[in-house]
Amino acid sequence: MPCLPKAVSEYERTATFDATTTPAALRKGHTTKDGVWAEIVVLAGRVLYVIENEEDASFVLRPGLSGPIAPAVPHRVDPYDDARFFVRFLR
């Protein structure tokens, strides 16, 4: 899993999502823009985070274990029924 650079700071965040309100665009492969990092922050439950590249890497995120997203790297999420999470954007 990537690590957030120390020099980035949050400039925006999404609403809080759950298994029924997660936008379809987040459930299929997508990327952030060049130079934009993101972080999936789980408030409750679990979220499957998949980094799609040469070898897909999957992580089950939970409170206390966030998912850093590197710029322009394809990824997707699949929240479990008990999930509540948001995504914050950093640069």
Side-chain angles (χ1 to χ4, degrees), residues 5-39:
K6 295 189 185 307
V8 297
S9 59
E10 181 179 328
Y11 69 90
E12 187 176 3
R13 69 171 56 183
T14 66
T16 299
F17 302 120
D18 62 27
T20 60
T21 61
T22 300
L26 296 183
R27 293 176 183 264
K28 62 182 182 178
H30 63 283
T31 65
T32 61
K33 295 179 182 177
D34 285 337
V36 175
W37 284 81
E39 182 177 35

Side-chain angles (χ1 to χ4, degrees), residues 13-17 39-43 84-88:
R13 69 171 56 183
T14 66
T16 299
F17 302 120
E39 182 177 35
I40 303 162
V41 179
V42 180
L43 302 172
R84 285 186 47 247
F85 72 100
F86 63 89
V87 180
R88 60 190 207 122

